[in-house]
């Protein structure tokens, strides 16, 4: 099995002698703060030529969407036009990045939570996302009017990936011009780390393996550590346990 797809278990312990690099704790077995998660996010250069970093939804204030949401899906109504990801998954111990390329988009989120808490959140998220196989939604654009769309949803299988995996696809059809848009959401949980990818299916599929490799593999400190220290995953510096 490819090492890219296997979560490495266990924590790094005391430093080794002889100048060898000491293994740091696997992100999957260590609770990390947002600052430690940020270096584990993908960079645009890791997604190929033409990919650029975008402002995340929280940073950007220029969205033309001012309101709206599902009209006939009771499970989704409480989450409005932005959907359930932010509210269900929460914002603690989280880092986020966004990317664009040739009209496609991708949002990556990393979460560091204890397994029981994360399992409940992810299960609820996908139960909500797939609660209504089809529904209508209205997107309000303020003084520019509104857009009426039909939406279909379904769970999708994500194969060849180790961990607890969920996949979802959403297809929207504009009632005005008939244009269609596909969006995919995938989560993979390994221990205490969850990788969530949301966006255009092509970018989601391309990003999945490198995102898992970067966020869940054991790191090594490039220094010899004294007993009782671990490698810090974010800054990669020694810290006392």
């Amino acid at each position: 099995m490819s090492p890219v797809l296997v979560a490495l278990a266990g924590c790094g312990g005391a430093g080794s002698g002889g100048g060898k690099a000491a293994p740091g704790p696997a992100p999957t077995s260590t609770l990390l703060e947002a600052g430690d998660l940020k270096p584990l996010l993908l960079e645009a250069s890791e997604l190929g030529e033409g990919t650029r970093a975008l402002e995340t939804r929280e940073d950007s204030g220029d969205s033309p969407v001012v309101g709206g949401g599902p009209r006939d899906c009771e499970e989704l109504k409480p989450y409005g036009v932005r959907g359930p990801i932010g509210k269900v998954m929460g914002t603690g111990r989280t880092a986020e990045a966004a990317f664009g390329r040739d009209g496609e988009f991708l949002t990556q989120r990393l979460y560091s939570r204890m397994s029981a808490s994360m399992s409940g959140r992810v299960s609820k998220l996908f139960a909500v996302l797939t609660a209504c196989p089809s529904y209508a939604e209205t997107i309000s654009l303020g003084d520019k009017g509104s857009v009426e769309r039909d939406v279909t949803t379904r769970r999708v299988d994500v194969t060849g990936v180790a961990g607890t995996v969920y996949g979802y696809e959403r297809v929207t059809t504009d009632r005005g011009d008939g244009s269609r848009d596909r969006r995919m959401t995938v989560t993979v949980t390994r221990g205490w780390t969850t990788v969530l990818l949301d966006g255009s299916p092509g970018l989601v599929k391309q990003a999945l393996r490198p995102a898992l490799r970067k966020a869940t593999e054991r790191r090594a400190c490039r220094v010899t550590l004294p007993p009782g220290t671990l490698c810090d995953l974010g800054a990669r510096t020694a810290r006392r346990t």
Side-chain angles (χ1 to χ4, degrees):
M1 182 175 292
S2 169
V4 171
L5 302 179
V6 178
L8 300 180
C11 292
S16 57
K20 295 180 181 180
T28 54
S29 60
T30 306
L31 281 177
L32 303 178
E33 299 295 338
D36 297 316
L37 289 168
K38 286 183 179 179
L40 305 181
L41 290 164
L42 290 173
E43 298 179 6
S45 60
E46 296 174 280
L47 292 173
E49 185 176 354
T51 305
R52 66 192 188 283
L54 303 176
E55 288 186 323
T56 62
R57 188 175 65 188
E58 287 73 14
D59 296 331
S60 177
D62 59 359
S63 173
V65 178
V66 298
R71 294 204 314 269
D72 52 3
C73 181
E74 295 300 321
E75 290 83 357
L76 281 169
K77 277 185 178 180
Y79 303 103
V81 69
R82 293 197 179 277
I85 292 178
K87 291 183 178 179
V88 173
M89 299 293 281
T91 58
R93 297 183 183 274
T94 304
E96 180 178 350
F99 308 95
R101 184 182 66 207
D102 297 332
E104 296 184 313
F105 73 95
L106 172 71
T107 298
Q108 179 194 11
R109 296 178 177 88
L110 297 180
Y111 303 90
S112 184
R113 312 273 176 76
M114 296 187 73
S115 300
S117 170
M118 204 71 246
S119 176
R121 289 176 184 270
V122 174
S123 295
K124 179 179 178 180
L125 173 64
F126 282 85
V128 171
L129 288 174
T130 59
C132 300
S134 62
Y135 60 92
E137 71 176 7
T138 300
I139 304 300
S140 176
L141 305 176
D143 57 7
K144 295 182 180 180
S146 62
V147 176
E148 301 290 331
R149 302 195 297 198
D150 293 315
V151 183
T152 60
T153 69
R154 67 185 182 100
R155 290 182 182 268
V156 295
D157 293 328
V158 182
T159 59
V161 177
T164 303
V165 185
Y166 287 84
Y168 153 85
E169 184 181 71
R170 159 187 160 110
V171 178
T172 60
T173 303
D174 189 308
R175 289 185 178 179
D177 60 15
S179 60
R180 303 182 73 194
D181 178 72
R182 293 175 64 224
R183 178 172 180 169
M184 180 178 287
T185 305
V186 174
T187 65
V188 180
T189 300
R190 296 177 176 176
W192 292 355
T193 299
T194 296
V195 177
L196 186 151
L197 300 174
D198 178 53
S200 304
L203 269 180
V204 169
K205 293 174 184 177
Q206 180 186 347
L208 183 57
R209 290 173 184 252
L212 290 171
R213 179 173 59 246
K214 189 170 185 178
T216 66
E217 283 190 349
R218 183 191 296 271
R219 299 301 175 95
C221 285
R222 299 305 178 186
V223 295
T224 301
L225 304 180
T229 60
L230 293 175
C231 179
D232 182 274
L233 290 166
R236 300 189 187 182
T237 58
R239 57 182 173 84
R240 298 293 299 182
T241 58

